[in-house]
Amino acid sequence: MNALQRWWLRRRHAGGEWGALFGPAPPGEWVSLDLETTGLDTRRDAILSLAAVPVRGGRVRLAERFETLVHPGRAFDIDSIRHHRLTPADVADAPQLRAVLPGFLRWLGPRTLLGHHLAFDTAMLDGPMRVVLGFPLPNRRTELGQAWLDHRRLADPHAHVDLSLDAIAGELGVPVIARHTALGDATTVALCWLALQARAG
């Protein structure tokens, strides 16, 4: 979402329930977001779990996290289960995304999103948000992979850089926590971001 779209939506929703979403992002604070989904097709697949972890004051604020399972409203296959280890039984009683979104957005506010392959996660949220609320996710975004690439290429413009989360975490000396779970990946990304900031000085 560009600045003009954000300005227009801020004016449209000023004084309303969602007006705060379009305000200025708090400086020095990010929310590390990760989803687990039934697959990688942003038009056809669905969200199974969502986790978001604040990063503020040089710390990962795990106690302040937002975390939920999500009922996908559709079946999913064994390949999906092997990847994230969530079964249909795990999400059978979970709320649907349309019920999750309002509470998540109130919790998130205008804070800047942080993620690894964040464009995928936000695309998975944007479609349902347009249906439920009439607008896409407006928050500013920081992509860990791009920040890591920029950092590495300052030292060597021709360096081959592995942008997988495991490789970034390994080079930064960060433990990979509960890989392929929404909370684990969101926490790992948050720790990588802090380690990268410390390294960049």
Side-chain angles (χ1 to χ4, degrees):
M1 179 179 292
N2 63 37
L4 181 59
Q5 291 170 317
R6 190 176 289 108
W7 173 84
W8 183 82
L9 284 166
R10 183 170 64 246
R11 287 200 59 179
R12 181 181 176 189
H13 293 278
E17 182 177 10
W18 305 115
L21 276 176
F22 304 97
E29 183 168 5
W30 299 264
V31 171
S32 181
L33 172 71
D34 192 76
L35 309 176
E36 295 302 322
T37 63
T38 60
L40 299 176
D41 187 327
T42 58
R43 294 184 179 181
R44 297 181 183 176
D45 284 302
I47 296 169
L48 294 169
S49 64
L50 180 157
V53 180
V55 182
R56 185 178 66 254
R59 295 178 59 190
V60 177
R61 309 283 175 163
L62 200 56
E64 299 175 24
R65 70 187 179 273
F66 185 100
E67 181 184 16
T68 185
L69 294 173
V70 180
H71 193 292
R74 51 155 290 178
F76 53 98
D77 61 23
I78 190 64
D79 288 336
S80 177
I81 295 169
R82 285 191 184 113
H83 182 74
H84 47 59
R85 298 181 296 280
L86 289 171
T87 68
D90 292 327
V91 296
D93 297 324
Q96 293 193 345
L97 186 60
R98 65 186 306 116
V100 168
L101 281 173
F104 172 61
L105 294 174
R106 291 185 195 101
W107 175 89
L108 176 63
R111 292 180 287 183
T112 299
L113 290 170
L114 167 69
H116 184 254
H117 298 308
L118 187 57
F120 172 78
D121 291 331
T122 55
M124 290 296 296
L125 289 166
D126 278 350
M129 279 195 58
R130 288 179 189 275
V131 171
V132 175
L133 301 173
F135 55 84
L137 198 61
N139 300 66
R140 293 160 182 82
R141 292 130 200 231
T142 297
E143 171 57 48
L144 174 66
Q146 186 62 56
W148 175 242
L149 182 64
D150 293 344
H151 172 75
R152 287 291 309 280
R153 287 194 169 163
L154 278 175
D156 181 358
H158 305 292
H160 170 73
V161 182
D162 186 340
L163 296 179
S164 69
L165 182 56
D166 298 271
I168 295 171
E171 291 207 47
L172 287 169
V174 168
V176 176
I177 300 166
R179 190 72 169 100
H180 300 304
T181 67
L183 182 59
D185 286 352
T187 304
T188 300
V189 167
L191 291 168
C192 285
W193 179 245
L194 290 179
L196 177 55
Q197 287 189 306
R199 182 176 292 196

